Amino acid sequence: MADGALLNRDAAREQAFATPLDQLNPAQPALFQADAMWPIFDRLRKEAPVHYTAESEYGPYWSITKYNDIMAVDTNHQVFSSEGGITIAEQQGDQGPLPMFIAMDPPKHDIQRKTVSPAVSPANLQVLGPLIRERAAMILDSLPIGEEFDWVDKVSKELTGMTLATLFGMPQEDRRKLIYWSDVVTAVPGQGLIDTLEQKMQIFVEYHAYFTALWNERVNAPPTGDLVSMLAHGEATRNMEPREYFGNIVLLTVGGNDTTRNTISGSILALNQNPDQYQKLRDNPGLIASMVSETIRWQTPLAHMRRRATQDIELGGKQIKAGDKVVMWYVSGNRDDEVIENPNAYIIDRERPRQHISFGFGIHRCVGNRLAELQLTIIWEEILKRFPEIIVTAEPKRVYSTFVKGYETLPVMIPRRN
């Protein structure tokens, strides 16, 4: 399997440099699934950091591939608007895109974000920390020793599902529904999880009904600290339309699940691919916080964010027109050697490990970034207490997506306990 993947990547590099520059199209889910998109981004950063793709399955779009250009777009919401969606793919369905605060501009964005941000405040993280640690310990103690299992299923999904269910005030026995719904949101029909758009919409009906029932329950009860209660009682959100409420639930589900879950899996893979760094971590567990930040950069769990230009503007010597779709490739910005030294290497004791673009910048910077770091830190503190090593036994199966950069499966084996 590894040999096939290598051949795939070699062929992808050859093709990336043989294709005429104006025909390059990094938005190909099959390339991301094969982990073979890197050569296109290498070439674009060198030859066309602001690049126009005239034809793709998502229509025409601009690619922004260098760190500082991405920062310039991400921090200029007046010119580069989030209204209408944040992915290169247009949201499908009869009623158009779901409204959600990440796909809004100020002032509405700021008001809605402020309503839910107390759930991930430093004070609430102090409360969540011991609970996350208890669950991490329980998950790790239940793992089989000496036999292969899927790390994504047994660990990454479990920990993030438990945390997310707590944030929503849901029963823990429903956490796998959350994981499933999150996967359906970003799934491409015909690629395994769902077969058709109609099937996707039907699952959304169930998802919507579940959270409508939660809203009705919370709105008629005194306020509590969970996200649904915050939205139901928040001055700016309690009268929102049902679609807007559901849009924000979708955002919080995907944001709370995909990013952390795929970075937990990515940390196991990265340390296996870089055994010297794994040894460095075992020798010095004090490097966990630094390793977590480096993994978030190296993994870049959401590969891109999209904006739309509100006016004509020049960027990188190119003329972007009002209405054009502009895609910030975080996955490329995190490999920009003009900003990050030796960016293709995984180095857990980098001098500035938090210098990455995975959480975005500006008003849309990931609201739950500290919670993601907390979960990753705790799971690794507990892993090092228990297991001298976790061995990846086969190539992971990656997600078919240009948005979620993650793993469907990651086969591993734990030889022994400490």
Side-chain angles (χ1 to χ4, degrees):
M1 190 187 294
D3 289 346
L6 199 60
L7 287 172
N8 233 348
R9 290 166 202 164
D10 287 345
R13 171 161 288 278
E14 197 173 307
Q15 188 175 5
F17 283 87
T19 302
L21 190 61
D22 64 351
Q23 291 174 32
L24 280 180
N25 172 25
Q28 299 179 57
L31 283 180
F32 278 81
Q33 190 173 44
D35 197 38
M37 67 292 180
W38 303 107
I40 290 184
F41 290 123
D42 288 348
R43 187 174 175 203
L44 288 179
R45 284 195 304 273
K46 288 182 179 73
E47 298 179 32
V50 178
H51 175 268
Y52 189 67
T53 299
E55 290 182 22
S56 81
E57 64 176 292
Y58 310 108
Y61 68 94
W62 289 94
S63 284
I64 315 298
T65 53
K66 288 187 73 68
Y67 191 104
N68 289 325
D69 290 337
I70 290 168
M71 286 275 280
V73 172
D74 224 355
T75 54
N76 187 356
H77 60 267
Q78 294 91 347
V79 173
F80 298 102
S81 170
S82 302
E83 287 285 346
I86 51 151
T87 66
I88 190 171
E90 302 297 335
Q91 224 169 40
Q92 295 165 308
D94 298 337
Q95 301 176 64
L98 277 171
M100 55 183 72
F101 68 78
I102 200 171
M104 294 174 183
D105 296 327
K108 196 171 184 180
H109 161 272
D110 302 355
I111 295 164
Q112 292 197 4
R113 179 181 166 114
K114 192 176 176 183
T115 302
V116 297
S117 58
V120 287
S121 68
N124 207 39
L125 294 188
Q126 282 197 314
V127 175
L128 281 171
L131 190 58
I132 293 168
R133 189 173 301 280
E134 183 185 312
R135 288 169 177 169
M138 180 183 71
I139 291 165
L140 296 173
D141 287 341
S142 71
L143 296 177
I145 301 299
E147 62 183 75
E148 188 178 82
F149 66 93
D150 176 15
W151 182 268
V152 174
D153 182 59
K154 295 272 191 203
V155 182
S156 302
K157 285 183 178 180
E158 277 294 279
L159 185 64
T160 48
M162 287 178 178
T163 303
L164 202 48
T166 297
L167 288 173
F168 281 131
M170 288 170 59
Q172 281 297 322
E173 56 266 29
D174 287 347
R175 65 185 180 275
R176 283 289 173 145
K177 290 181 182 175
L178 266 182
I179 299 297
Y180 176 66
W181 289 328
S182 179
D183 288 347
V184 168
V185 169
T186 57
V188 177
Q191 290 299 321
L193 187 65
I194 51 167
D195 297 322
T196 62
L197 180 59
E198 291 69 31
Q199 185 188 2
K200 185 171 187 168
M201 291 300 113
Q202 186 52 47
I203 295 164
F204 266 42
V205 170
E206 299 160 19
Y207 183 10
H208 187 277
Y210 184 98
F211 274 93
T212 299
L214 271 190
W215 170 285
N216 292 335
E217 188 184 294
R218 301 293 148 75
V219 81
N220 294 310
T224 55
D226 68 83
L227 289 166
V228 176
S229 182
M230 286 175 178
L231 290 168
H233 291 279
E235 192 176 335
T237 52
R238 63 188 176 210
N239 296 316
M240 62 170 55
E241 292 293 318
R243 282 190 87 245
E244 194 167 305
Y245 161 64
F246 181 55
N248 281 315
I249 291 297
V250 168
L251 164 64
L252 294 165
T253 307
V254 174
N257 168 48
D258 277 330
T259 51
T260 308
R261 163 178 141 194
N262 287 313
T263 308
I264 291 173
S265 301
S267 65
I268 297 289
L269 183 62
L271 288 164
N272 267 263
Q273 290 178 346
N274 300 273
D276 61 321
Q277 300 301 305
Y278 201 171
Q279 189 57 53
K280 201 185 283 183
L281 184 67
R282 283 191 291 259
D283 292 343
N284 181 8
L287 289 173
I288 287 175
S290 173
M291 179 275 290
V292 163
S293 290
E294 174 68 347
T295 307
I296 291 167
R297 179 194 72 86
W298 181 88
Q299 180 60 37
T300 317
L302 293 180
H304 77 262
M305 286 281 170
R306 178 254 279 193
R307 302 287 184 259
R308 205 172 281 280
T310 59
Q311 62 190 61
D312 293 359
I313 187 169
E314 183 182 313
L315 183 68
K318 302 291 175 68
Q319 292 295 327
I320 296 173
K321 301 287 186 191
D324 284 357
K325 190 186 289 191
V326 179
V327 177
M328 300 176 287
W329 290 105
Y330 293 158
V331 68
S332 174
N334 276 334
R335 303 294 176 107
D336 184 351
D337 62 7
E338 287 186 11
V339 176
I340 297 165
E341 191 177 347
N342 198 4
N344 292 316
Y346 179 75
I347 304 167
I348 68 167
D349 53 355
R350 279 185 184 276
E351 197 173 324
R352 298 175 64 196
R354 292 178 67 87
Q355 185 185 27
H356 63 75
I357 209 159
S358 298
F359 291 132
F361 276 92
I363 61 166
H364 293 292
R365 182 169 170 81
C366 174
V367 70
N369 67 85
R370 296 293 185 183
L371 176 58
E373 291 172 340
L374 180 66
Q375 289 183 85
L376 284 151
T377 299
I378 287 173
I379 192 80
W380 269 102
E381 287 171 353
E382 297 302 316
I383 286 169
L384 291 180
K385 287 177 193 173
R386 285 166 176 77
F387 311 128
E389 62 180 337
I390 300 166
I391 299 168
V392 173
T393 54
E395 278 277 314
K397 183 180 180 187
R398 292 178 169 83
V399 176
Y400 183 87
S401 173
T402 60
F403 183 62
V404 175
K405 185 170 167 287
Y407 308 92
E408 286 186 25
T409 60
L410 180 65
V412 302
M413 196 264 286
I414 301 172
R416 63 192 185 284
R417 297 185 189 277
N418 284 336

